[in-house]
Amino acid sequence: MSFLPFGRAQPSSAEKIAAAETEMEMIAEMMNRLNQSCVKKCIPPEYREGDLNKGESVCLDRCVSKFFDVQMKVSEKMQGDAAMRQGQ
């Protein structure tokens, strides 16, 4: 913890651990949503082969790319909105 008037207080170890746990939970939730949505769209419920065929592989690649593009756009929009609210 900084006692200097111009310094920002450093988070404690417990706060760092809590922040890391929260971040891990958010990442796990995002990966679960990604997995559920892309597998549902790209992989048929009955498996014919042990490996992905070319069509399934391309579909998954595009789905994951679109998912992350949307996540980035939503994140940027939310950060912009938050910045505007703080500026008011």
Side-chain angles (χ1 to χ4, degrees), residues 12 19 58 62 64 68 79:
S12 69
V58 169
R62 288 181 180 162
V64 169
F68 281 114
Q79 287 176 357

Side-chain angles (χ1 to χ4, degrees), residues 17-46:
I17 291 170
E21 287 174 345
T22 301
E23 186 174 358
M24 288 297 295
E25 289 172 4
M26 290 171 52
I27 290 170
E29 180 183 333
M30 182 180 69
M31 292 304 296
N32 286 334
R33 284 192 320 243
L34 168 71
N35 190 24
Q36 288 173 350
S37 100
C38 290
V39 167
K40 185 177 180 180
K41 289 178 186 176
C42 298
I43 312 255
E46 64 282 336

